[in-house]
Amino acid sequence: MTRTVAELSARLAAHAVDERRQITGHVPDVPGRGQTLTPVLVLDDHDEQRASGRVSFGRYYLGGNGAVHGGAIPLVFDDLMGRLANTGARKPSRTAYLKVDYRSITPIEQELRVTTWFESEQGRKRLLHGTLHHGDRLCAEAQGLFVELKPGQP
Ligand SMILES: CC(C)(COP(=O)(O)OP(=O)(O)OC[C@H]1O[C@@H](n2cnc3c(N)ncnc32)[C@H](O)[C@@H]1OP(=O)(O)O)[C@@H](O)C(=O)NCCC(=O)NCCSC(=O)Cc1ccccc1
């Protein structure tokens, strides 16, 4: 099995493309943009101040006892907050910090609601807040600072 995967990987390496032409994360009409790292996130509502959607973590994201791995939850916040932080006419920004509070167990294989919104925009600094709910129960919340990149900043 391992040898087969290694052989396939070697054959596919010949077809590798640069970042701009890769498929993962670049398919706008697919939920989650085809980003394979994060669980599929279906956006329901979004404008330039707020975004909300549904997400479900499959078995792949299991931490233990039916709960999502603690490292997977910031992925979802960073993905949705990062997209919101860069919407509209805003110049590109990157996550400077992301603080996550785990308020209760996040179950795998359940539909969850994730919401994020702007708290403030000051100069290059964009402060966003986010919540993750299972039904009415708050599973996690996050605060993220996104800093606008200076010209030429990678
Ligand atoms: C760009 C920056 C974040 C900031 O550096 P510089 O440009 O040199 O900024 P500068 O130092 O001039 O500060 C300006 C102001 O900001 C403040 N401030 C800054 N930092 C902090 C802090 N930690 N905590 C608190 N405050 C902080 C600082 O005090 C100052 O405030 P002031 O004006 O005095 O009031 C740099 O550290 C970096 O590149 N880090 C790596 C980022 C990275 O790789 N991220 C992950 C991948 S991106 C992603 O995933 C997103 C995504 C996902 C999905 C879809 C789309 C997008």
Side-chain angles (χ1 to χ4, degrees):
M1 175 73 167
T2 308
R3 195 181 316 131
T4 306
V5 172
E7 283 168 6
L8 274 174
S9 178
R11 282 170 62 183
L12 289 171
H15 303 282
V17 293
D18 64 28
E19 182 182 318
R20 290 189 180 279
R21 290 191 300 145
Q22 75 172 30
I23 294 171
T24 183
H26 289 151
V27 196
D29 47 343
V30 167
R33 311 180 320 287
Q35 164 60 266
T36 51
L37 182 65
T38 50
V40 171
L41 197 162
V42 179
L43 269 184
D44 294 316
D45 302 298
H46 62 97
D47 57 27
E48 292 186 5
Q49 290 298 321
R50 188 180 187 89
S52 174
R54 286 162 287 140
V55 64
S56 173
F57 293 85
R59 275 291 285 276
Y60 175 74
Y61 297 97
L62 178 66
N65 281 341
V68 173
H69 191 292
I73 292 167
L75 262 181
V76 169
F77 281 125
D78 190 52
D79 196 65
L80 190 57
M81 284 182 171
R83 281 194 269 165
L84 180 62
N86 292 325
T87 50
R90 296 179 178 103
K91 293 182 181 151
S93 67
R94 282 196 189 276
T95 322
Y97 70 66
L98 182 63
K99 174 180 181 287
V100 178
D101 288 308
Y102 300 90
R103 299 297 188 192
S104 64
I105 289 297
T106 301
I108 60 160
E109 296 179 329
Q110 296 290 321
E111 188 171 273
L112 309 166
R113 173 149 298 279
V114 58
T115 306
T116 184
W117 62 92
F118 269 90
E119 283 193 331
S120 66
E121 285 186 77
Q122 260 188 333
R124 295 172 57 214
K125 295 195 290 186
R126 303 169 192 167
L127 195 62
L128 279 78
H129 200 89
T131 55
L132 182 69
H133 281 88
H134 180 220
D136 292 336
R137 183 167 55 80
L138 178 64
C139 300
E141 58 186 324
Q143 189 178 62
L145 175 68
F146 294 77
V147 175
E148 181 183 310
L149 298 178
K150 292 177 274 201
Q153 197 170 359

